[in-house]
Amino acid sequence: MMFLAIYFFILGLIVGSFLNVVIYRLPEEKSIIKPPSHCPHCNTRLKVIDLIPVLSFLITGAKCRYCGASISWQYPFVELLTGIFFLAAYLNFGLTAEFFLMLLLLSALIVISVIDYKYMIIPNVITYSGILIGFISAIIFDYLSIFDSLLGIVIPALILLAVALIFKGGMGMGDVKLVAMLGAFLGYKYSLMSIFIGSLVGSVIGLSLMGLGVIDRKDRIPFGPFICLGAVIMIFFGEQLIDLYFAIFL
Ligand SMILES: [Zn+2]
């Protein structure tokens, strides 16, 4: 138990390091496998010692060992976050099929959040394959019914599509596909709750930033990371929140 917990935390750190590569290369349509990792500034090919998650960053003082260019906090942040998510998923789900599916989904959510935050896009290649994998998993495994997965693909997406068409701007087609992917993995209730939590947190943060004068009305805030945050909260605290939701509203 303890050994596996540490194992999945370290696996998460390593996967997080790979997710950084995906985040860096996917929007620029570069190959994810080739070439090997290199410094984006001086192009020096990185050695194994430069690629140890979090530690390399701390040891070199957030700088490239070869040219001294500073390295973004995004790298250790994504690594650590993936490690924590993997550990939390193991403690929450144990060694089940659902656990491995959640590792996949959580990884996708991290990549989507950072890419949407940086580029204001959500790559189709992730959401489309996510919808497919989520639905096929619902057929193979019994943690979610096929019907719930199917409704999950359709209902939240239609609702968000209607919202996107009525209130132009803010939300995009990427967000619509994102909630379809969430529904495929988690079912329609969890996907709807992710939208609900995401909107709530997003509005509070958006309005606060406007109040503080950090952004103004014209600035677009990507909605994707907030939906992803909502999904992460639902993955770990979904049952409790659904109970609470029905207790308050019904
Ligand atoms: Zn360099």
Side-chain angles (χ1 to χ4, degrees):
M1 173 91 178
M2 187 66 187
F3 170 78
L4 278 175
I6 296 168
Y7 170 80
F8 282 114
F9 176 67
I10 294 171
L11 181 71
L13 293 178
I14 295 165
V15 170
S17 172
F18 170 72
L19 298 184
N20 275 317
V21 176
V22 176
I23 290 164
Y24 175 63
R25 296 187 184 178
L26 198 58
E28 305 191 358
E29 295 185 347
K30 289 175 182 164
S31 161
I32 285 164
I33 302 155
K34 289 181 290 185
S37 295
H38 55 269
C39 166
H41 192 250
C42 66
N43 263 326
T44 308
R45 187 167 157 180
L46 301 177
K47 300 193 179 74
V48 174
I49 192 161
D50 304 313
L51 296 169
I52 303 165
V54 186
L55 283 181
S56 295
F57 180 87
L58 294 176
I59 291 166
T60 59
K63 284 185 175 67
C64 169
R65 275 207 304 147
Y66 307 99
C67 68
S70 57
I71 299 167
S72 164
W73 278 94
Q74 177 207 310
Y75 290 90
F77 174 73
V78 165
E79 287 159 357
L80 206 56
L81 192 63
T82 315
I84 292 168
F85 280 180
F86 274 37
L87 173 64
Y90 169 68
L91 297 177
N92 204 59
F93 298 102
L95 285 178
T96 57
E98 191 176 10
F99 164 63
F100 289 100
L101 287 168
M102 289 308 123
L103 295 191
L104 215 55
L105 180 59
L106 288 164
S107 301
L109 294 180
I110 291 173
V111 172
I112 287 173
S113 296
V114 180
I115 291 181
D116 196 21
Y117 174 72
K118 287 172 78 172
Y119 304 93
M120 300 289 259
I121 51 159
I122 296 177
N124 283 336
V125 63
I126 300 179
T127 46
Y128 285 153
S129 29
I131 292 169
L132 204 64
I133 293 168
F135 184 61
I136 291 170
S137 304
I139 297 173
I140 299 173
F141 306 109
D142 58 1
Y143 80 99
L144 182 72
S145 80
I146 300 171
F147 186 59
D148 198 1
S149 179
L150 204 59
L151 287 181
I153 296 169
V154 180
I155 294 177
L158 282 180
I159 291 175
L160 213 58
L161 184 65
V163 174
L165 291 177
I166 295 166
F167 308 97
K168 291 188 175 60
M171 246 165 292
M173 286 309 292
D175 299 313
V176 173
K177 294 165 200 163
L178 168 60
V179 298
M181 177 181 95
L182 292 177
F185 272 93
L186 303 170
Y188 71 97
K189 273 187 210 151
Y190 274 40
S191 181
L192 288 174
M193 283 291 288
S194 305
I195 299 173
F196 177 73
I197 297 169
S199 314
L200 207 65
V201 178
S203 317
V204 170
I205 291 183
L207 290 173
S208 309
L209 290 177
M210 260 183 239
L212 292 168
V214 180
I215 56 167
D216 63 70
R217 279 177 169 281
K218 280 167 284 175
D219 286 317
R220 274 195 62 202
I221 307 173
F223 190 43
F226 293 110
I227 301 177
C228 292
L229 174 68
V232 171
I233 291 172
M234 285 310 290
I235 289 170
F236 292 115
F237 307 104
E239 279 167 42
Q240 294 94 312
L241 284 173
I242 293 267
D243 290 345
L244 189 71
Y245 184 84
F246 282 113
I248 295 171
F249 294 100
L250 292 176

